[in-house]
Amino acid sequence: MQIALTGTPGTGKTTVAHLLPYRVIDINALVREGLNFGTDPKRGCLEADMDGLAERLVEMDSDQISILEGHFSHHFAQWSIVLRLAPRKLESRLEERGYSPEKIRENLEAEALDVILVEAVEYCQRVDEIDATGRTPQEVADLVAKIIEGKLVMPPGQVDWLEEFFG
Ligand code: ADP
């Protein structure tokens, strides 16, 4: 069984995934290691081979729970847990990462407009949403673990960054 841990870059997916007691499959690593069509000249990053990824993930699936970690992992799972982060917090994390102002703006807009959440709702049978703002990685991981263990449900619709971002 594969559960996607998704969200805008910088929301804490990688950090949180590695605090969970499950195998973690890094979608971006699979793309870097060959499941790509080379660099997309418009975006300046690797163009993922989505069909190849889907096939590889089917091969890797088992009865054990695995976490698919990455900002488009929700394309490959029936169940997604979406991490959210207030844009003002996300901005400083992406600045620390050395992203260009354009790339920061693009990601902040995507977070403010719920782009990943909306896609996850479109692709997945079940979606949970966690606001990571003001929570430590361990606190977020504990919520993810409770959701996966069936002890907690966090339905989408808990955050609204529009006022903060555009207001
Ligand atoms: P993602 O995988 O979603 O791109 P990362 O896990 O790489 O995000 O986290 C981005 C940065 O934010 C890292 O420097 C990480 O240490 C930090 N970080 C992640 N989660 C938290 C949190 N809950 N509180 C504070 N800092 C965090």
Side-chain angles (χ1 to χ4, degrees):
M1 184 190 186
Q2 296 174 336
I3 301 171
L5 186 61
T6 188
T8 308
T11 48
K13 302 177 294 294
T14 313
T15 310
V16 168
H18 291 281
L19 293 171
L20 296 168
Y22 304 112
R23 176 187 188 194
V24 177
I25 299 174
D26 177 349
I27 301 290
N28 290 306
L30 294 177
V31 172
R32 280 195 305 275
E33 288 159 12
L35 291 171
N36 69 74
F37 298 118
T39 301
D40 177 342
K42 266 195 246 149
R43 302 188 50 85
C45 59
L46 288 173
E47 188 191 341
D49 172 0
M50 299 299 275
D51 292 340
L53 276 167
E55 272 174 38
R56 179 72 58 83
L57 290 168
V58 167
E59 287 162 16
M60 293 171 88
D61 201 8
S62 73
D63 293 343
Q64 305 287 315
I65 291 173
S66 301
I67 303 294
L68 305 184
E69 185 263 305
H71 68 281
F72 52 93
S73 56
H74 52 281
H75 288 255
F76 307 107
Q78 299 296 317
W79 182 2
S80 284
I81 299 173
V82 184
L83 297 190
R84 306 301 305 273
L85 189 69
R88 65 181 186 285
K89 293 269 179 203
L90 190 59
E91 184 170 26
S92 47
R93 283 198 201 168
L94 297 179
E95 278 168 3
E96 273 171 33
R97 239 183 215 186
Y99 276 19
S100 67
E102 296 75 36
K103 209 169 165 190
I104 293 176
R105 181 83 197 166
E106 191 182 306
N107 281 293
L108 294 184
E109 271 180 19
E111 180 61 19
L113 295 171
D114 308 330
V115 168
I116 301 244
L117 182 76
V118 169
E119 283 182 9
V121 168
E122 195 177 318
Y123 294 126
C124 301
Q125 282 170 11
R126 176 170 171 186
V127 177
D128 290 81
E129 178 185 39
I130 299 176
D131 181 3
T133 316
R135 290 184 160 126
T136 65
Q138 190 60 57
E139 284 170 344
V140 178
D142 289 347
L143 291 174
V144 172
K146 278 194 185 148
I147 290 169
I148 292 175
E149 289 161 14
K151 295 177 184 157
L152 182 67
V153 177
M154 296 186 86
Q158 299 170 59
V159 308
D160 183 354
W161 308 140
L162 291 180
E163 181 80 15
E164 175 192 320
F165 191 69
F166 296 106

